[in-house]
Amino acid sequence: MSATPGLYLSSAGGYPRIGDSPELQALRRTIAALDRGERSHADLLDVQNDVTRQVIAEQVKAGLDVVTDGLIRWYDPISHLAGKLDNIEIKGLVRFFDTNTYFRQPVFVGAPIKRGNLAAGEYSFARNALGHLPTPQGKAGKLSIKSVLTGPYTLGRFSLSEQSGDGSSEAYASLEARAQAYAEILASEFEPLSQAGAELIQIDEPAAIKYPNDWAIFEASLALLIQARDRITKSGRKLELALYVYFHDCAPLYEKLLALPVDIVGLDFTYSPKLVDIVASAGSPKWLGLGLIDGRNTKLEDPAQIARQIDRMLPKIKDQRAFLGPSSGLEYLPRDRAFAKLELLSKVRAELKGQKRQ
Amino acid sequence: MSRQKLESLGLKLPLFPTTSVGSFPKPDYLAKARAEFNKKRISEKDLHDLERKATAFWIEEQEKLGIDVLVDGEMYRGDMVAYFAERLPGFSISGLVRSYGNRYYHKPIISSEVAWRTPLTVDWWKYAQSLTKKPVKGMLTGGYTIMDWSFNEFYPDRRSAALALAKVVRKEVEALIAAGCKIIQIDEPALSVRPEELPIALEAMDLTTKGQNAYFITHACYGEFDKIYPGMLDLAVDNFDLEMSNSDLDLLELFRRHPFTKDISFGVVDVHSHRTDSGEVVRKRIEQALTILPKEGVWVDPDCGLKTRTVEQAIEKLRACVTAAKSFRNE
């Protein structure tokens, strides 16, 4: 597989759903009003749609090539997908890695069943929203939107199973069984996503590098997604699979990550001081997502320094093709700073082209 | 061992001393007053008066319940990190970031060198202590957690930021001790979230407490203790306050494998539930603790701060702790 060389600017997933000004707090106000019984779920959907359009527009304005819907509708990275399944109950709050944010823990009470689509509807809306934006100069045919799914291993790792009266949930007592169950369901979502126009699906598996002893379980669950991708590409449609890992040092697993049969591996450089050296020296037989911009800290990086790091790595990456982005989704930042981080991506590219702005 | 330290500080506590983790729910009048203050509809003095009234209420309630080591209940604090960040030079406050669900907060930013100019908690401690003859804990947040829960735009790395903050917290410790405080709790809820950074947390606590003449407690929760145990026992404190009930006492298994060498404030009541665990369940938890831990080192308290409960629920949970602890003293 070959592709156009170059550095693409890409979102890594989430985006802050509110800002500090009153007009940017519509979603917060609507959810609070819904909780008080003063607004309906239809009202919430309207506001989620508006905010999704806004955050896509912000990503385009910042100069990105690959955007997402900002995961605006997600309660959290774990319960959003799991909560749509029958026989999975969403329970108490658990801390999400070291973020000091929390997710609601899914509990298997039986065999999970998918009714309707999980992500294709949301993707379709977002793709349509992107299509309705005026195309910025020089971006015709170059803007795309990817779908983001939390991976089956991470979903399984943060779910539990509860003993049910009829014994139907006991089959999910093991992590392996939960990860496989999620993998089967997510794999079945690839076809509707492809039908909705998705050509790039990002699978987030932060738990895979945090718990490397489970690598075989992670790999086995990923295999089902690979098969789903291959079925689509064999039918002549384009579908690339990106695996994104973050919130832990991925350097010790670099070779193993690159050996996985995905198209793109997205790496968080903020936990791995030596990762630039490793990529620059070992190279990559895969396209890489370069999470060089810290998605968890408000401090703005020096674009020239980031450009120098990319200069060292890009020649050693397959097709000299990479996706520069934040180290993780940006929802851990205030909205204004998240936008500034996205703008920084364009500044880095300008540095690389020797066209430093200002 | 630490019981001797308590006695050397002039503190004679019964077996199974009862305490609480720090925060209590704010009475309705105070919650409303804080909202009014934020809208600039009442003065700072009006709010302060109500905070004092609520503090006095909680001291009285703790006295009535028979708790041994009291807290001021943090009626004047919103968040355990923001309270300090809003008052310390070196911090600015960011735009809103999400905590979970529809909850957002202004996360602190370390934007220049942090410093300590004036006591931040001493007046509140003095006020609370003036209302009771029982010891009141000084309540602080540790340098590692303040670092972890803030953005860092100034220090070159996380270690430098944590150590700078640890020195600031030490100044507050010194001020509390100078005011007469003998038991100081320095919370580190972020202690276990990055196990590879345990050495930084240890170094930070060392900078804060080393050579200081007080009995130190730290509270930690929500973490992967299996990854930092037994290394965490090197933290320079006398007592670990741990959330035991919420995890079905699974930490006891770790203590079986490697002896727990500090005093422990053993969380015997789940704080996340509206209802209070039955007396039998609470007693059972203490019994299980005593299969591994020496009774001289066991304190009894709820799992975590009670600020998310109603006033009535918080009192019931505290009562469950006291009833259970007293029943063991007589055995």
Side-chain angles (χ1 to χ4, degrees):
Chain A
M1 196 173 350
S2 66
T4 317
L7 186 72
Y8 296 82
L9 307 185
S10 175
S11 160
Y15 197 74
R17 51 199 81 191
I18 71 162
D20 283 84
S21 63
E23 63 270 21
L24 288 177
Q25 298 210 6
L27 187 56
R28 187 188 195 187
R29 282 196 305 272
T30 304
I31 292 171
L34 179 68
D35 290 343
R36 293 193 301 267
E38 295 166 5
R39 300 286 290 272
S40 68
H41 284 280
D43 295 329
L44 175 62
L45 188 63
D46 280 347
V47 178
Q48 286 175 331
N49 289 345
D50 285 346
V51 177
T52 301
R53 288 189 198 98
Q54 283 168 18
V55 304
I56 291 171
E58 279 189 32
Q59 292 169 76
V60 171
K61 187 178 168 196
L64 266 62
D65 305 301
V66 184
V67 303
T68 69
D69 66 0
L71 316 185
I72 296 305
R73 302 168 206 275
W74 292 31
Y75 186 92
D76 61 59
I78 304 298
S79 70
H80 177 71
L81 296 170
K84 293 183 179 183
L85 305 176
D86 285 1
N87 293 328
I88 288 191
E89 292 179 1
I90 301 303
K91 302 279 188 172
L93 293 166
V94 178
R95 185 141 60 185
F96 190 56
F97 293 91
D98 58 350
T99 62
N100 201 23
T101 66
Y102 297 81
F103 68 88
R104 290 206 176 272
Q105 188 160 40
V107 177
F108 284 64
V109 296
I113 298 168
K114 184 177 94 155
R115 298 196 193 281
N117 66 55
L118 284 182
E122 292 170 13
Y123 178 78
S124 196
F125 176 88
R127 190 167 185 270
N128 194 264
L130 177 64
H132 278 81
L133 288 173
T135 307
Q137 197 176 6
K139 289 275 189 182
K142 292 181 181 169
L143 265 176
S144 65
I145 183 160
K146 62 183 168 182
S147 172
V148 179
L149 302 170
T150 306
Y153 170 73
T154 297
L155 288 174
R157 192 70 175 66
F158 293 131
S159 298
L160 295 173
S161 80
E162 195 167 79
Q163 206 152 15
S164 55
D166 60 1
S168 59
S169 68
E170 280 156 27
Y172 303 97
S174 74
L175 168 59
E176 190 170 8
R178 293 193 299 274
Q180 283 291 310
Y182 280 127
E184 283 171 21
I185 285 166
L186 291 177
S188 73
E189 191 67 10
F190 279 26
E191 179 60 32
L193 276 168
S194 174
Q195 294 287 349
E199 295 185 337
L200 174 58
I201 298 176
Q202 174 181 316
I203 303 296
D204 284 5
E205 284 284 21
I209 55 169
K210 171 98 173 167
Y211 306 102
N213 292 340
D214 292 337
W215 193 263
I217 297 173
F218 156 63
E219 212 171 353
S221 65
L222 185 68
L224 298 185
L225 306 188
I226 303 292
Q227 288 165 16
R229 176 204 59 187
D230 291 348
R231 278 194 295 274
I232 289 164
T233 54
K234 276 176 192 158
S235 74
R237 280 172 283 161
K238 180 183 173 188
L239 182 63
E240 290 165 355
L241 198 56
L243 174 74
Y244 270 60
V245 290
Y246 42 85
F247 296 164
H248 204 70
D249 184 0
C250 63
L253 296 162
Y254 182 66
E255 286 182 16
K256 288 176 90 169
L257 285 163
L258 294 183
L260 295 167
V262 295
D263 304 290
I264 301 164
V265 176
L267 303 170
D268 176 350
F269 283 70
T270 64
Y271 284 73
S272 309
K274 292 179 181 162
L275 194 54
V276 172
D277 292 340
I278 291 170
V279 177
S281 128
S284 168
K286 287 198 160 36
W287 306 327
L288 291 185
L290 303 175
L292 288 159
I293 307 295
D294 193 339
R296 298 267 304 275
N297 197 8
T298 48
K299 184 178 184 183
L300 292 174
E301 288 81 357
D302 172 10
Q305 190 191 350
I306 301 291
R308 282 195 294 275
Q309 292 176 323
I310 294 169
D311 249 344
R312 291 181 57 208
M313 294 188 285
L314 198 57
K316 306 293 287 290
I317 297 171
K318 180 189 173 188
D319 299 332
Q320 297 193 34
R321 185 171 200 247
F323 297 82
L324 175 64
S327 56
S328 65
L330 289 171
E331 70 165 331
Y332 307 99
L333 297 178
R335 178 86 164 252
D336 57 347
R337 200 46 69 100
F339 183 66
K341 290 270 177 174
L342 292 184
E343 285 186 314
L344 191 67
L345 301 176
S346 291
K347 290 177 185 166
V348 173
R349 185 153 65 185
E351 282 282 342
L352 280 165
K353 288 179 178 169
Q355 300 166 353
K356 189 172 180 180
R357 292 171 186 172
Q358 291 176 350
Chain B
M1 183 171 57
S2 294
R3 198 152 268 276
Q4 287 168 0
K5 183 173 187 181
L6 286 165
E7 283 172 14
S8 76
L9 289 162
L11 295 165
K12 195 152 176 56
L13 297 176
L15 276 178
F16 307 107
T18 49
T19 188
S20 43
V21 178
S23 68
F24 289 142
K26 294 176 176 68
D28 284 346
Y29 61 80
L30 181 55
K32 282 179 194 149
R34 286 169 65 88
E36 292 291 293
F37 177 73
N38 286 336
K39 292 174 190 159
K40 298 186 169 53
R41 289 183 189 153
I42 64 168
S43 71
E44 192 169 354
K45 184 184 178 310
D46 291 340
L47 177 65
H48 187 72
D49 288 347
L50 292 174
E51 288 166 346
R52 281 170 70 92
K53 178 182 169 186
T55 304
F57 165 79
W58 277 115
I59 293 290
E60 190 181 341
E61 286 301 314
Q62 292 173 90
E63 288 262 24
K64 281 197 285 194
L65 287 162
I67 289 174
D68 302 300
V69 176
L70 279 51
V71 295
D72 66 19
E74 301 176 12
M75 295 296 104
Y76 51 96
R77 299 188 197 180
D79 173 90
M80 61 185 290
V81 166
Y83 177 78
F84 295 96
E86 285 163 5
R87 288 159 179 80
L88 287 169
F91 279 93
S92 55
I93 300 299
S94 82
L96 288 163
V97 295
R98 202 163 75 104
S99 172
Y100 66 91
N102 206 29
R103 284 179 179 245
Y104 295 81
Y105 69 110
H106 292 282
K107 186 168 173 173
I109 302 174
I110 306 169
S111 45
S112 60
E113 188 170 11
V114 293
W116 182 93
R117 299 259 165 78
T118 183
L120 307 174
T121 63
V122 173
D123 284 348
W124 280 110
W125 177 82
K126 279 186 186 169
Y127 172 63
Q129 186 63 79
S130 75
L131 301 170
T132 177
K133 289 194 167 55
K134 289 185 171 175
V136 176
K137 289 193 277 194
M139 299 298 301
L140 305 174
T141 304
Y144 181 77
T145 292
I146 298 179
M147 175 279 294
D148 190 61
W149 291 8
S150 302
F151 296 123
N152 172 21
E153 298 193 0
F154 179 76
Y155 292 97
D157 52 45
R158 290 166 59 85
R159 177 175 172 272
S160 319
L163 299 189
L165 284 159
K167 288 177 193 166
V168 165
V169 180
R170 182 181 179 90
K171 295 278 189 192
E172 188 69 14
V173 165
E174 287 170 351
L176 278 166
I177 292 173
C181 184
K182 293 181 165 53
I183 302 177
I184 300 176
Q185 184 170 312
I186 303 172
D187 291 338
E188 286 287 16
L191 184 67
S192 64
V193 295
R194 289 195 188 193
E196 68 279 10
E197 287 190 351
L198 181 63
I200 299 176
L202 296 179
E203 200 178 353
M205 188 61 84
D206 220 47
L207 273 179
T208 299
T209 63
K210 199 169 186 180
Q212 301 275 9
N213 191 28
Y215 179 89
F216 288 103
I217 302 173
T218 192
H219 171 71
C221 54
Y222 276 124
E224 294 182 287
F225 288 100
D226 55 325
K227 297 237 173 80
I228 60 165
Y229 191 82
M232 70 183 218
L233 293 173
D234 290 334
L235 200 75
V237 296
D238 303 288
N239 182 317
F240 266 100
D241 185 321
L242 296 173
E243 186 184 52
M244 302 296 285
S245 305
N246 188 37
S247 56
D248 290 330
L249 311 191
D250 59 5
L251 290 179
L252 286 180
E253 191 48 43
L254 292 177
F255 302 169
R256 267 192 198 95
R257 279 184 247 150
H258 187 287
F260 188 81
T261 54
K262 307 264 188 198
D263 291 350
I264 186 168
S265 297
F266 196 93
V268 297
V269 174
D270 181 13
V271 300
H272 300 297
S273 159
H274 297 309
R275 65 177 187 82
T276 299
D277 301 308
S278 73
E280 192 185 342
V281 167
V282 176
R283 267 189 60 88
K284 187 80 184 161
R285 287 174 181 150
I286 299 175
E287 273 171 20
Q288 286 178 268
L290 294 177
T291 62
I292 294 169
L293 301 163
K295 64 181 178 184
E296 292 78 13
V298 176
W299 295 38
V300 174
D301 68 354
D303 264 356
C304 200
L306 288 162
K307 71 177 178 183
T308 58
R309 302 273 61 91
T310 65
V311 169
E312 294 74 22
Q313 289 164 359
I315 288 171
E316 279 316 299
K317 285 177 190 287
L318 291 171
R319 194 189 314 280
C321 294
V322 175
T323 305
K326 281 186 174 168
S327 73
F328 278 90
R329 280 176 202 158
N330 303 327
E331 287 181 2

